[in-house]
């Protein structure tokens, strides 16, 4: 196959980037192929930063050669002789498997000088991430390979024309890379027949949280969320009710029970206010608090913001503070408007995707779970019973048979009562751990 | 921290530096090697590295402090990392941190007095299906409950005593 044949196969396959944005892969490769310049680079984004997602890790550990082969194909297509895999240091097993695979490929003459006598040279080197989520963003990642702080750079120019060390660079996600060799061997039409018109092929998801069968699932694009959660995932454990699924991690939003039949595809998810993301799917049930989860994500993005631009640095902190207030019972209705205003400013004015998408885990649930926010703000109550400042445990005297189980389990020993007599909680000592609520077999402990 | 401690670079690190000396963007890779050898980046070593690689010390610390993975303080003999990624957070990662605090008497990013354990929170180790997860001495423990913690700690304490 000539380089043009490879580009045209990718075009026919309609493969889109699996790192989150879903950009057509053939276009990236083509831009870089057409770019003039002596040195060009091929980069694999194996930073997998979405906490709670591990699709890329499984590819790198299970089939590292698929990524190496793919990068070599790209090198030959665009005219690059050097590839880099930027992998997070938290994946030691994947790193050692990649090192071994690179050595094996070198021994077999599949990497290195004059590959299979074709006159084409291609080397791959590993570069380790160092625990900065923002380095998953492509321009920050390239800065990190260059040995600098991983700070995003304004785009354009895009990496495909001005990337690593200012040279044209193709950067793709691990799963995107792993799709290329099968497209070449089994044919672009075969691939394009899987999935939907708009999004072809399969996608791997990390199904975690409140789910019976937690793990990785690979499904054709367009599969419904209901299928994934209830058929493959086996539904919600312990007889609890499904609440929502967070897709897209800290950049994404929630999909509720009403939308379980939505096909998993880029556009439909966006219409619901979430995103496809890289494949994280966190299932929540009725015991998870939507405000608490939003606060968790905001804490994450505030910690991980590189601080380069004000909308993200200051806006993120403000959102986090407001959410903290909401979970502590000091929130007001004006806060909701404030969060919307700050959020939309961040979406518009942040330099990189981290800040642009950081408000999503608030704005998306606000569309569907406004009553839960209102309960925190107006009634000072956390309906899911998660926010400790907004719950209180009480023993109902008419239901308590005085078995004493709760008193024995209470970690601070603040439940007292005679045997066979109604027990009582000393509210001043209670740390709201919920143990009494869990252990009482007579529904005598009330959580309010 | 005294500047005189552990000034010499072990051979493995020196070999690594030789291999990487002429590669652009090598600093982060060398720092990883240093941390692998010492468990953290001792100040004396940072000074020597700056000389070796001809990098200003300010730049060196600029990089070390930007990347959360690099530690400036010596961790315990058995570093405990509790995952606080989303999957583990939902499954009670925070309760594990609270329980470790009770069991070891130290909070996050601290070392026990006997130097045996240190505790840190990390963001996802890629075993989310096993949430909640904690890692001790690079050994991954999945589906951890508060009740299992004493046993896990005892096991690692014994191994390090051998
Ligand atoms: C804050 C942030 C974090 C990101 N993290 C990752 C990541 O961990 N892995 C990844 O492949 N892409 C990540 N991306 C997307 C990359 O910038 C880029 O779009 C991707 O590597 C392109 O590859 P693809 O076209 O194959 O999807 C991230 C983007 C942003 C804004
Ligand atoms: S949006 Fe946030 S992470 Fe991105 S460049 Fe600005 S401050 Fe840094
Ligand atoms: S466990 Fe329930 S029934 Fe038993 S003493 Fe406690 S509240 Fe009463
Ligand atoms: S919530 Fe916890 S601390 Fe409070 S009474 Fe119940 S068991 Fe005791
Ligand atoms: S969220 Fe804990 S291992 Fe991924």
């Amino acid at each position: 196959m000539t380089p043009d044949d490879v580009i045209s196969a990718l075009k026919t396959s309609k493969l889109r980037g699996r790192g989150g944005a879903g950009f057509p892969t053939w276009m990236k490769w083509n831009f870089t192929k057409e770019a003039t310049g002596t040195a060009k680079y091929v980069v694999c984004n194996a930073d997998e930063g979405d906490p709670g997602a591990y699709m890329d890790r499984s590819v790198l550990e299970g089939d590292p050669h698929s990524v190496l082969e793919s990068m070599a194909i790209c090198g030959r297509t665009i005219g690059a002789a050097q590839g880099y895999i930027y992998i997070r240091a938290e994946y030691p097993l994947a790193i050692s498997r990649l090192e071994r695979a690179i050595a094996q490929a070198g021994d077999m003459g599949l990497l290195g000088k004059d590959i299979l006598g074709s006159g084409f040279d291609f080397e791959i080197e590993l570069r380790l991430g160092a625990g900065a989520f923002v380095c998953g963003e492509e321009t920050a990642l390239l800065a990190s390979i260059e040995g600098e702080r991983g700070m995003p750079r304004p785009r354009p120019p895009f990496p495909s024309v001005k990337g690593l060390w200012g040279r044209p660079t193709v950067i793709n996600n691990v799963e995107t890379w792993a799709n290329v060799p099968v497209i070449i061997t089994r044919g672009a039409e075969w691939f394009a027949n899987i999935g939907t018109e708009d999004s072809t092929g399969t996608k791997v998801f990390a199904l975690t949280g409140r789910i019976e069968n937690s793990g990785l699932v690979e499904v054709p694009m367009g599969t419904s969320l209901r299928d994934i959660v209830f058929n493959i995932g086996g539904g919600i454990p312990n007889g609890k009710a499904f609440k929502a699924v967070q897709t897209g991690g800290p950049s994404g939003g929630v999909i509720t029970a009403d939308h379980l039949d939505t096909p998993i595809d880029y556009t439909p998810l966006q219409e619901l206010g979430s995103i496809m993301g890289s494949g994280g799917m966190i299932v929540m049930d009725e015991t998870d608090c939507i405000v608490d989860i939003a606060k968790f994500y905001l804490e994450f993005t505030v910690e991980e913001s590189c601080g380069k631009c004000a909308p993200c640095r200051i806006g993120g902190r403000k959102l986090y503070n407001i959410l903290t207030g909401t979970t502590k019972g000091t929130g007001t209705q004006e806060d909701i408007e404030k969060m919307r205003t700050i959020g939309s400013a961040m979406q518009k004015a942040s330099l990189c995707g981290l800040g642009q998408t950081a408000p999503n885990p608030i704005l998306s649930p606000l569309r569907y779970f406004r009553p839960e926010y209102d309960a925190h703000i107006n009634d000072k109550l956390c309906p899911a019973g998660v926010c400790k400042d907004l719950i209180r445990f009480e023993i109902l005297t008419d239901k308590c048979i005085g078995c004493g189980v709760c008193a024995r389990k209470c970690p601070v020993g603040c439940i007292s009562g005679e045997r066979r007599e109604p027990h009582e909680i000393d509210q001043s000592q209670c740390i709201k751990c919920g143990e009494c609520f869990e252990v009482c077999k007579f529904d005598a402990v009330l959580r309010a | 921290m005294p500047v005189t401690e552990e000034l010499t670079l072990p051979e493995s690190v020196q070999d690594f530096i030789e291999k990487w000396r002429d590669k652009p963007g090598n600093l982060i890779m060398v720092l990883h090697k240093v941390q692998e050898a010492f468990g953290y980046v001792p100040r004396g070593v940072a000074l020597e590295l700056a000389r070796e690689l001809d990098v200003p010390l300010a730049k060196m610390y600029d990089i070390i402090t930007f990347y959360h993975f690099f530690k400036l303080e010596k961790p315990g003999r058995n570093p405990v990392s509790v995952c606080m990624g989303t999957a583990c957070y939902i499954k009670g990662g925070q309760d594990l941190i609270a329980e470790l605090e009770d069991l070891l008497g130290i909070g996050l990013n601290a070392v026990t007095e006997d130097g045996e354990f240190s505790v840190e929170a990390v963001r996802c180790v890629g075993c989310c299906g096993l949430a909640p997860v904690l890692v001790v001495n690079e050994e991954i423990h999945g589906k951890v409950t508060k009740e299992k913690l004493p046993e896990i700690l005892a096991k690692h304490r014994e191994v390090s005593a051998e």
Side-chain angles (χ1 to χ4, degrees), chain A residues 2 76 101 118 187 227 272 395 427 432:
Chain A
T2 65
R76 183 165 165 275
S118 62
D227 235 9
L272 293 178
I395 294 176
Q427 295 294 344
K432 300 175 183 178

Side-chain angles (χ1 to χ4, degrees), chain A residues 51 57 127 129 131 144 148-149 292, chain B residues 25 32 62 67-68 86 89 126:
Chain A
R57 197 199 104 206
R127 291 298 176 107
S144 184
E148 304 294 325
R149 294 160 62 122
D292 180 67
Chain B
H32 271 295
D62 197 37
Y67 292 99
H68 308 315
T86 322
Y89 177 76

Side-chain angles (χ1 to χ4, degrees), chain A residues 50-54 57 86 88-91 125-132 134-135 144-151 165 208-210 214 282-284 288 292-293 296-297 299-300 303-304 306, chain B residues 20 23-29 32 36 59 61-63 65-70 83-92 94-95 122-131 138 140 143 146-147:
Chain A
D50 175 3
Y54 57 112
R57 197 199 104 206
Y86 186 88
R88 61 198 301 251
E90 291 86 344
Y91 286 178
E125 194 173 284
L126 292 188
R127 291 298 176 107
L128 304 193
V134 70
C135 286
S144 184
I145 294 183
E146 292 169 8
E148 304 294 325
R149 294 160 62 122
M151 297 263 214
W165 289 297
T208 62
R210 311 286 183 191
S214 164
I282 312 272
V283 183
M284 300 173 225
D288 295 307
D292 180 67
I293 299 284
F296 168 83
Y297 279 121
E299 183 184 1
F300 177 81
E303 255 174 44
E304 298 296 333
C306 80
Chain B
W20 281 77
K23 292 194 182 177
N26 54 9
L27 178 56
I28 295 172
M29 295 303 283
H32 271 295
E36 190 186 303
K59 161 105 190 236
Y61 273 91
D62 197 37
I63 297 292
T65 52
F66 181 84
Y67 292 99
H68 308 315
F69 195 82
F70 297 126
C83 181
M84 282 291 275
T86 322
C88 292
Y89 177 76
I90 287 200
K91 290 285 185 73
Q94 210 154 22
D95 298 342
V122 294
R123 298 287 193 192
C124 193
V125 292
C127 305
C128 327
L130 298 176
E138 297 186 2
I140 291 166
K143 300 196 193 251
K146 282 195 282 194
E147 290 71 29

Side-chain angles (χ1 to χ4, degrees), chain A residues 84-103:
Chain A
Y84 292 95
I85 300 177
Y86 186 88
I87 179 166
R88 61 198 301 251
E90 291 86 344
Y91 286 178
L93 185 62
I95 293 169
S96 73
R97 297 237 166 116
L98 272 173
E99 281 169 346
R100 204 160 81 204
I102 291 172

